[in-house]
Amino acid sequence: MIKKFFTIAIVACSLTAVQAQKTSTATSKQSKTSTTSDAKQAIFEREKALLGDGWTKVYESYKAEPVAVEVNFKQGFAYTALGAVKAKESKGQNAMLIIKDGSNTYAGTQGKVSENYAILETDDFQPSSGVTKATVGVGLNEGNVADAGLVILEKTIDFKRDFYRLLDERATGFKNLKGTISGKNDSGFMTYNSTIGLGYFKNKINETAEAYEYVLEMDMTDPETMTFLNNLIPVLQELPAKGYTPSEYKNKVGNDVTKFTKDGEDAMMLISNLNTNTMYFEIAKKKK
C-alpha cells in the first residue's frame, strides 16, 4: 500500500550567477571541455547508463562557473538533465538543477554541497502542450562555483513502452530504473527518483520493509492528469489478457480504488481522493 510520499522541492528562484550569464542554445551536441573534466567524470556512470537505456545526448558543457542553456523542445520527445556542481567553498549551500522559462519553473532538483561533487538529475521531463523551450541550468543558490557540468539527453515519448517496462521491472524491485537518491523515508529505507515519469515529475521509487513501490502523485485539477488517464486507460484494458485481475472498491477512508492483482499479489493501484483532489498511481512488488 501507499505509505508516504516525498516530493522534490521545485525551487522557484533562479540559479545564482546563471541569471547574469548569457545562455547558449542547445540545437546539437556541444562539448566545451576535454574528456578529462572532473565534472564529466563525476556523472560519467549515470550518463553511460542513460545512453545504454536509449537516451540520446543533445548537449554537454563543463565550466568553472554555472552552466545554462536554452533548449528548444522537439514535439514528442522527453528530456533528462544531469548536473554536477562543486563549490569553491562549501558552506552548506544547495546545488540546483532547474528547468524553467522566465517565471515558470517546470522541474528541478537540489542537493547539499559537500567537499565532493553534488550530482543532480531531472528525469523524463515531458513538456506540456505549448511549452516549446526552456532554460536548463545547474549551479549554486549562493557562493561561487569551482566546477560544473551539464548534460541533456532526449528520447521519444512512448507511454505504452514505459508502462510495460515498469511492470517488467517489478520483479527486480525497479533496480534498473533508479535515478538519483532522494533521501531516506520514514521506514529507514532509501527513496529514489525514477528514470521513468510517465509524464509526471512527482515520481518516486520507494523501498519499505515489505515492498518496493513506484509511485506517482497527481493533482486531479491539473489538465496533465487527464492526459495521463487518457494514456493509461487503453493500456489498463489490455491487462486482463495478460493475467491481471481488476477490481474496484472504496478503501477504509472512502477513497476510490482501482486495483490489479496478478498471481494473488497486488500489482498496481490507482487511488483517488476527492476531498484533496489528489490521485496516486502505484506499481508495487512485495519483498520475498
Side-chain angles (χ1 to χ4, degrees):
M1 295 295 293
I2 296 176
K3 305 293 184 183
K4 186 173 180 180
F5 305 93
F6 299 81
T7 57
I8 294 175
I10 301 179
V11 182
C13 61
S14 298
L15 297 169
T16 298
V18 171
Q19 285 181 315
Q21 109 178 26
K22 183 178 180 181
T23 61
S24 56
T25 302
T27 55
S28 61
K29 292 183 182 179
Q30 301 179 47
S31 179
K32 301 180 181 179
T33 189
S34 69
T35 57
T36 58
S37 163
D38 289 339
K40 185 179 182 70
Q41 293 302 313
I43 57 177
F44 174 76
E45 290 300 327
R46 283 300 302 142
E47 178 185 331
K48 181 180 177 182
L50 289 165
L51 292 171
D53 196 33
W55 291 85
T56 300
K57 182 163 61 178
V58 295
Y59 176 85
E60 66 176 344
S61 182
Y62 305 90
K63 300 179 181 180
E65 61 183 6
V67 182
V69 63
E70 184 178 89
V71 180
N72 294 313
F73 298 130
K74 292 158 59 176
Q75 186 174 6
F77 280 79
Y79 294 84
T80 285
L82 294 174
V85 188
K86 189 173 186 179
K88 286 187 177 179
E89 184 178 359
S90 178
K91 301 177 180 179
Q93 66 267 55
N94 286 331
M96 300 191 296
L97 175 63
I98 292 178
I99 302 176
K100 65 177 298 175
D101 184 21
S103 61
N104 297 316
T105 300
Y106 301 122
T109 185
Q110 59 182 326
K112 288 291 184 182
V113 171
S114 66
E115 296 303 317
N116 298 316
Y117 284 87
I119 308 301
L120 306 168
E121 183 172 346
T122 296
D123 293 285
D124 201 24
F125 170 66
Q126 299 183 16
S128 302
S129 175
V131 177
T132 60
K133 65 180 177 65
T135 296
V136 182
V138 63
L140 301 172
N141 69 328
E142 62 176 307
N144 296 318
V145 170
D147 193 19
L150 176 65
V151 173
I152 301 172
L153 307 98
E154 67 180 17
K155 191 178 188 179
T156 55
I157 296 172
D158 188 330
F159 185 95
K160 186 173 180 178
R161 173 200 67 202
D162 291 343
F163 177 88
Y164 280 115
R165 178 135 188 241
L166 283 166
L167 285 184
D168 290 342
E169 287 290 338
R170 281 184 65 237
T172 71
F174 309 104
K175 70 176 183 179
N176 297 314
L177 302 181
K178 292 177 180 177
T180 50
I181 295 173
S182 177
K184 280 192 176 182
N185 54 45
D186 287 348
S187 299
F189 293 89
M190 302 307 297
T191 296
Y192 299 83
N193 302 307
S194 172
T195 58
I196 291 179
L198 295 178
Y200 265 84
F201 180 65
K202 293 183 180 180
N203 65 80
K204 296 292 178 189
I205 293 173
N206 198 42
E207 182 179 358
T208 70
E210 298 83 21
Y212 300 97
E213 306 163 340
Y214 171 87
V215 180
L216 297 181
E217 179 183 352
M218 293 168 279
D219 181 352
M220 294 173 68
T221 65
D222 187 341
E224 293 301 311
T225 300
M226 184 56 67
T227 300
F228 171 81
L229 292 174
N230 287 338
N231 288 326
L232 178 67
I233 290 171
V235 183
L236 294 185
Q237 292 172 341
E238 299 176 358
L239 294 184
K242 298 179 181 294
Y244 292 84
T245 302
S247 61
E248 294 183 352
Y249 60 94
K250 286 187 179 292
N251 61 16
K252 293 181 179 179
V253 294
N255 296 332
D256 294 320
V257 179
T258 298
K259 181 171 69 174
F260 284 81
T261 59
K262 187 174 185 181
D263 300 326
E265 180 182 338
D266 292 349
M268 183 176 58
M269 289 185 181
L270 187 66
I271 304 173
S272 303
N273 186 333
L274 298 179
N275 292 326
T276 61
N277 285 323
T278 305
M279 181 177 292
Y280 300 104
F281 173 77
E282 177 190 296
I283 297 177
K285 178 66 177 178
K286 287 183 179 180
K287 291 181 176 178
K288 294 182 178 180

